[in-house]
Amino acid sequence: MSLAASIRKPAAWRRAGAARGAGRRRGAVVLLLALAYAAGTLVFLLGGRLSGGGAAVEVASSSLHPRRHAAGGHPPSPPQPGSVYRSHLVFERLWPAMRDDATAAASASSLSASSSWRRSMLMTSQYQNSGEPWMPCVNSRLTQSELPPSNGYLMIEANGGLNQQRLSICDAVAVASLLNATILIPTFHVNSVWRDSSKFGDIFDEDHFIETLREHVRVVKKLPEDILLRFNHNISSIPNMRTKAYSSPKYYVQKVLPKMLELGVVRIAPFSNRLAQSVPSNMQALRCLVNYHALRFAEPIRTFAEDLVGRMMKKSSLTGGKYVSVHLRFEEDMVAFSCCTYDGGLKEKTEMDNARERSWRGKFRRHGRVINPEANRRDGKCPLTPLEVGMMLRGMGFDNTTSLYIASGKIYNSEKYMAPLRQMFPLLATKDSLALPEELAQFKGHSSRLAALDYTVCVQSEVFVTTQGGNFPHFLMGHRRYLFGGNAKTIKPDKRKLVLSFDDPNIRWDRFKQNMQEILQHSDIKSIAFRKPNDSIYTYPMPDCMCQQDGLR
C-alpha cells in the first residue's frame, strides 16, 4: 500500500466517524426534543388540563388560579361552553333590547290587554293535573288509638339552619312513635355557620306542637326528676347513640329501643337525616302532620310574617296582589363553598379563600383536594348571581311591573350584584325594605327566625323561584304543593342549560328569550310530582300525605 493510500484511508475513516458522530448528535437532539415535548405535555396536564375534562383543575393546594399556558408556549384550548362567567357581558348587550321589549309590551294594544298578559305570567302552571285536585289527608292515614305506656324518653339535638331543624324534629317524632317513646322538646345545636342561639320556643309554638301531637306521641318540655337524678342532673352523661344517616325503622327497634328500656332515656346528637326516606305509611303521615301542622311558627314570627305578606301584596297592585318570590343563594359563605369563580378577579379570590378558611378551616386546602370551577359551572353547581336571576326571569316573560320578593341572607358584594337586578325589576322587595329597622330588631342576629320570615312570604307567593339546592327550597316546594292542591308554580331552572345562554356575549334577545321560555316550560312540566322511593316526603308529599278527595286542610 502506498503512502498516499495509507494516508487517504485514515482520512476516510475520520470522515465516516464524523458522519456517525453527526448522526448520533442529530439523534440525541431529536430524542431531547421528544423528551421536552413529553415533559411539556405532562406539565400542561398537571397544570390544569385533564384529557376529556377540559376544565381548569387545581390539586393539593386547592387555590384557584387563572388558566395557564402549557409548557412550550402553547396556549390552552378555549374553555368548553358554559365554563366561564360572562353573564355581565351578555347583560350589557341585551339590556337595550330588554328595555325596549318591556316598553313595547306596556304600550301595545291597551292597558287592560297588557295587564291581562302580566296576570297570565303569574298564574299557576299550565300543566294542571287532570281529575280532582290533591288535598291533604294525613288524619285518614294516621291510626287513632289510645297511647300505651311509654318505653322511655328520646332526646335529640337538631342541627343546621331552620329547615334542617324542621327535618330533624319531624323525623324524631316519627321515631318516637315507632318506639312508643316520650320525646323531649328538641334542643338546637349552635352551628359555626348559622350562629343562632335560638331555642325551640323562640322559633316554634311549643304548646301548639304538644297539643297537635297529643293523640300520637307524648311530648314533654323537660325530663322528670327521677331520670335527671339517675344521671346527676348532667344531660351529657346520658349515652349518645350516634346513629348512621338514613337508618331504617328496624335499626331503631333492634338497637335503640333496648338501650331505652335499659336506661329509661337515650340521646341522639346530631339527629339530621337519621331516618330512612321510605318508612311505613303511618310514620310518613306523622312526618307530614308534624311538618305542616304541628310546627307552627312562634307568635312573634307568625304575626309579623303575615304582616309582611300583606305589605308585599299591597306592593303588587299592578298584578292583582300576586308576586314572585326568589330564594337567592348568593351569600358569601355559599359562593365560597361552591368554589365557583365570577368576575371579581383577585379581590374575589382573596375574599373567597378567606371565607373558606374562616368557616371550614383547611377543608379546601387538604392534600389531593380538587377544585374545578369551570366544571362546577358547566354542571350547574354554581349559585346564580342576582344579575343572572333577573335576566332569566325577564327572558321568561316577567316584565318590569312584576313585584319580586328576594329571600336571602346578606348578598355577597351586594352593591355590585343587586344593582342590575333592581334595574330589571324596580318593584323589588326584601324583608329589610318592607319593614322598619325597629320591627326587625327582635329577629336580628337570629338566622333561623329571619329565615322563618322569608319562608312565610315565599309560601304565599304566586310563583316561587329556586336558584340553588338546599333544605329551604326543598321544604318550601313541598309545603306549597301541600297547601295548593299539589301544584303550586315553582321555577326550578336547569342551570346546565342556563349557563350556555349566559356564555354567549353575542346572543340576540329573541334567541335568549326562546331559550329561557324552553327552560320555563321544562320546569313547569315537573310541577306535579309524586314521591319516588328515595325522594324526601318533605319535597314530595304526594301520595303519602295527600289524596284526590276532601281531607284535612
Side-chain angles (χ1 to χ4, degrees):
M1 179 182 299
S2 68
L3 180 60
S6 65
I7 294 173
R8 284 194 302 271
K9 190 171 184 180
W13 288 346
R14 286 195 298 272
R15 286 193 297 272
R20 286 193 297 271
R24 283 194 296 269
R25 285 194 295 273
R26 283 194 298 272
V29 170
V30 171
L31 179 60
L32 286 172
L33 287 173
L35 289 173
Y37 179 81
T41 302
L42 181 61
V43 170
F44 176 62
L45 289 174
L46 293 178
R49 306 295 302 175
L50 293 180
S51 58
V57 176
E58 302 298 334
V59 182
S61 70
S62 293
S63 57
L64 303 174
H65 297 289
R67 298 166 63 86
R68 295 173 297 202
H69 284 215
H74 299 290
S77 58
Q80 295 183 35
S83 298
V84 180
Y85 181 80
R86 296 193 179 100
S87 303
H88 55 304
L89 303 177
V90 176
F91 176 68
E92 288 176 6
R93 174 179 174 81
L94 295 184
W95 171 241
M98 197 184 300
R99 184 180 53 212
D100 294 344
D101 198 21
T103 302
S107 59
S109 301
S110 64
L111 180 61
S112 59
S114 179
S115 298
S116 175
W117 179 84
R118 288 197 294 266
R119 283 197 298 273
S120 71
M121 284 307 303
L122 288 172
M123 297 305 288
T124 53
S125 170
Q126 58 182 302
Y127 298 95
Q128 299 285 346
N129 56 316
S130 58
E132 296 295 323
W134 287 79
M135 302 297 290
C137 59
V138 290
N139 276 356
S140 65
R141 301 287 174 87
L142 287 168
T143 55
Q144 303 280 342
S145 61
E146 185 178 349
L147 291 174
S150 175
N151 286 326
Y153 292 87
L154 173 64
M155 297 177 58
I156 68 106
E157 183 181 87
N159 57 318
L162 172 68
N163 291 288
Q164 193 167 328
Q165 292 168 346
R166 291 179 77 106
L167 186 152
S168 299
I169 296 164
C170 296
D171 284 358
V173 171
V175 169
S177 173
L178 173 71
L179 302 180
N180 188 33
T182 300
I183 187 170
L184 183 70
I185 287 287
T187 58
F188 293 158
H189 174 70
V190 181
N191 185 276
S192 61
V193 175
W194 298 105
R195 302 182 184 93
D196 189 344
S197 59
S198 297
K199 305 293 191 292
F200 186 98
D202 296 322
I203 301 173
F204 302 108
D205 187 331
E206 280 190 357
D207 293 333
H208 178 79
F209 181 75
I210 295 170
E211 178 60 25
T212 304
L213 298 176
R214 180 172 52 84
E215 296 181 357
H216 308 285
V217 176
R218 295 180 180 89
V219 185
V220 296
K221 295 183 180 182
K222 61 180 181 179
L223 291 174
E225 187 65 19
D226 61 319
I227 295 290
L228 290 172
L229 282 173
R230 194 176 304 172
F231 296 97
N232 298 317
H233 286 80
N234 185 357
I235 297 298
S236 61
S237 298
I238 300 173
N240 183 15
M241 301 195 69
R242 295 186 175 276
T243 57
K244 294 181 179 179
Y246 303 108
S247 293
S248 67
K250 181 179 179 181
Y251 170 86
Y252 283 98
V253 171
Q254 293 182 347
K255 300 295 182 180
V256 177
L257 181 58
K259 185 63 72 173
M260 179 181 289
L261 292 171
E262 176 190 348
L263 301 175
V265 59
V266 294
R267 180 168 62 98
I268 304 178
F271 196 82
S272 178
N273 296 306
R274 289 303 186 266
L275 181 61
Q277 303 282 22
S278 294
V279 296
S281 60
N282 190 62
M283 294 178 72
Q284 294 287 42
L286 193 54
R287 277 170 153 172
C288 286
L289 181 68
V290 178
N291 189 38
Y292 303 126
H293 299 277
L295 283 178
R296 186 172 74 178
F297 289 129
E299 194 275 336
I301 295 174
R302 191 170 68 254
T303 302
F304 187 59
E306 290 170 356
D307 194 11
L308 290 179
V309 171
R311 297 179 195 184
M312 194 64 209
M313 293 176 68
K314 185 177 180 180
K315 188 179 179 70
S316 310
S317 59
L318 287 175
T319 48
K322 297 177 180 179
Y323 58 92
V324 177
S325 64
V326 179
H327 184 225
L328 185 56
R329 291 310 314 270
F330 203 69
E331 302 92 344
E332 183 178 72
D333 65 312
M334 175 56 68
V335 178
F337 189 81
S338 73
C339 296
C340 297
T341 56
Y342 295 90
D343 59 335
L346 181 60
K347 180 176 181 291
E348 176 192 308
K349 178 190 179 306
T350 302
E351 290 172 345
M352 293 301 102
D353 285 344
N354 291 339
R356 280 188 281 269
E357 188 60 25
R358 187 166 55 247
S359 295
W360 295 283
R361 292 191 182 90
K363 176 178 180 177
F364 293 90
R365 294 187 291 103
R366 292 174 186 164
H367 182 75
R369 175 90 186 200
V370 176
I371 290 180
N372 195 328
E374 295 183 356
N376 285 350
R377 184 165 177 82
R378 289 196 308 274
D379 293 342
K381 296 178 181 178
C382 291
L384 293 180
T385 65
L387 166 67
E388 291 173 322
V389 172
M391 292 171 63
M392 176 188 75
L393 290 176
R394 288 294 291 263
M396 288 177 175
F398 295 94
D399 71 358
N400 58 0
T401 65
T402 304
S403 291
L404 223 59
Y405 180 82
I406 302 297
S408 72
K410 184 179 179 181
I411 298 297
Y412 170 65
N413 206 347
S414 175
E415 186 174 344
K416 169 185 174 179
Y417 286 111
M418 288 297 290
L421 179 59
R422 293 184 187 279
Q423 188 177 347
M424 288 180 275
F425 291 95
L427 298 180
L428 182 149
T430 66
K431 54 184 173 290
D432 294 282
S433 68
L434 291 174
L436 297 171
E438 53 267 30
E439 291 177 309
L440 285 174
Q442 62 178 315
F443 308 108
K444 290 292 185 181
H446 301 284
S447 59
S448 290
R449 300 184 211 182
L450 292 169
L453 298 177
D454 280 339
Y455 187 94
T456 304
V457 181
C458 290
V459 162
Q460 297 298 329
S461 65
E462 188 68 22
V463 178
F464 172 63
V465 182
T466 173
T467 63
Q468 188 74 357
N471 286 316
F472 187 102
H474 291 158
F475 268 74
L476 198 71
M477 286 189 287
H479 205 154
R480 286 165 56 81
R481 285 181 171 125
Y482 189 80
L483 290 176
F484 305 124
N487 180 30
K489 189 175 182 69
T490 295
I491 298 176
K492 186 180 180 183
D494 185 340
K495 292 196 289 184
R496 290 170 299 182
K497 294 181 179 178
L498 203 57
V499 296
L500 297 177
S501 295
F502 291 150
D503 191 47
D504 182 7
N506 297 314
I507 193 169
R508 295 176 60 86
W509 174 233
D510 55 352
R511 179 61 185 172
F512 184 86
K513 283 198 300 182
Q514 181 181 339
N515 293 348
M516 295 304 105
Q517 286 158 14
E518 288 174 357
I519 290 173
L520 174 62
Q521 184 180 33
H522 185 260
S523 174
D524 278 344
I525 291 172
K526 294 184 175 182
S527 61
I528 292 187
F530 297 87
R531 192 183 71 84
K532 298 174 183 177
N534 291 323
D535 288 339
S536 168
I537 196 167
Y538 306 117
T539 307
Y540 304 100
M542 298 187 296
D544 302 82
C545 301
M546 301 182 73
C547 312
Q548 284 188 297
Q549 61 186 28
D550 290 338
L552 174 65
R553 288 182 180 271

